[in-house]
Amino acid sequence: IGLALLHGWKNIGFHTASIGIHGQSDLDEVMGAVKMMALSNQGKIDLQNILDGATGRLESRAENKLGKEWMEKGLLNLPSCFDEATDGIALGHILWMYNLLECYGMYEYCHDRYISLVGTQWNKKKSFKENADAMPAANVGRSYDESIDLTKALENHYNPSLALERIKKVHEWLSPSEPMSDEEIEKRGWKKGYNLTVWDDMPGILDSRATKNIVLQNLTGGRMGIVGTGPGNLVKSGALQFREVISKE
């Protein structure tokens, strides 16, 4: 969160960001970014060097995983889901998810978004325009449909057969409504990385192996199983500190 904000402020130049906070540590990162930006403006740190280092590591991993040519051209010359040749299929969105999965193992993030595409209603008895106009405004488009010939939609892509193969892969991985188990995710090389969250959200950080603890929590009224989640006095004192920092900055 912090580096993304700093990249936006420093390299893109926007001045406002909307932050979705689900835990105290998210706000910690935002305030950390504010402090780093202030130090950069005072000439006390080389922020551009820090951002270049982070971006360089991400780009290097992506190139190693997918190849230089794909990273340069893989998401170019693709029609949007509002182009009739796609029949509403979100080609660019789906291939972007392929990149996130293979490069960074972002399974949960991608699964949530792909399931939304799967849920997009598409009535083949209606015209393309009628279906397109009815698509939800958020996470627009629909998932891959094997009955649709995408030859024309992919004709300007540098490697249409590879693009189609990867679209099909994403559909195979993400279309089941039941998420993969943590063991399955790890087998595919998408093992979860380290977590910098310092405060447990409600109901805490869970995976498929936490079911017994959830049941235990419910049976014991929260005395056993998953405990110690949610805000407390530390959160209240932390909020006061944030207000002081903001007022001083």
Side-chain angles (χ1 to χ4, degrees), residues 42-63:
Q42 295 166 14
K44 295 181 179 180
I45 62 170
D46 186 349
L47 181 56
Q48 192 60 58
N49 185 56
I50 295 171
L51 292 173
D52 289 345
T55 303
R57 288 193 293 276
L58 291 172
E59 291 176 347
S60 176
R61 179 175 176 81
E63 192 171 308

Side-chain angles (χ1 to χ4, degrees), residues 111-167:
H111 183 260
D112 287 345
R113 279 147 188 79
Y114 197 77
I115 287 299
S116 174
L117 299 182
V118 171
T120 298
Q121 299 298 311
W122 198 265
N123 188 338
K124 296 188 178 183
K125 293 181 180 180
K126 294 183 177 181
S127 69
F128 172 79
K129 186 177 187 309
E130 287 175 308
N131 280 307
D133 288 346
M135 287 194 294
N139 207 43
V140 69
R142 68 182 184 117
S143 62
Y144 172 68
D145 181 344
E146 62 180 7
S147 71
I148 303 303
D149 183 357
L150 293 174
T151 302
K152 182 171 178 56
L154 295 173
E155 64 182 358
N156 293 320
H157 192 271
Y158 89 98
N159 193 332
S161 60
L162 180 59
L164 182 58
E165 176 188 324
R166 291 182 168 177
I167 288 168

Side-chain angles (χ1 to χ4, degrees), residues 82-98:
F82 291 104
D83 188 309
E84 195 162 349
T86 68
D87 206 48
I89 298 171
L91 303 179
H93 195 167
I94 294 170
L95 288 173
W96 171 70
M97 283 189 252
Y98 179 89

Side-chain angles (χ1 to χ4, degrees), residues 175-213:
S175 60
S177 58
E178 186 68 25
M180 292 182 190
S181 68
D182 296 297
E183 290 80 4
E184 289 177 295
I185 292 171
E186 290 184 13
K187 283 179 182 177
R188 294 185 182 277
W190 304 334
K191 188 164 65 173
K192 293 179 181 179
Y194 55 85
N195 192 334
L196 296 178
T197 301
V198 296
W199 180 69
D200 282 339
D201 321 318
M202 180 63 73
I205 299 170
L206 307 176
D207 59 29
S208 63
R209 291 165 286 198
T211 305
K212 64 179 182 181
N213 287 326

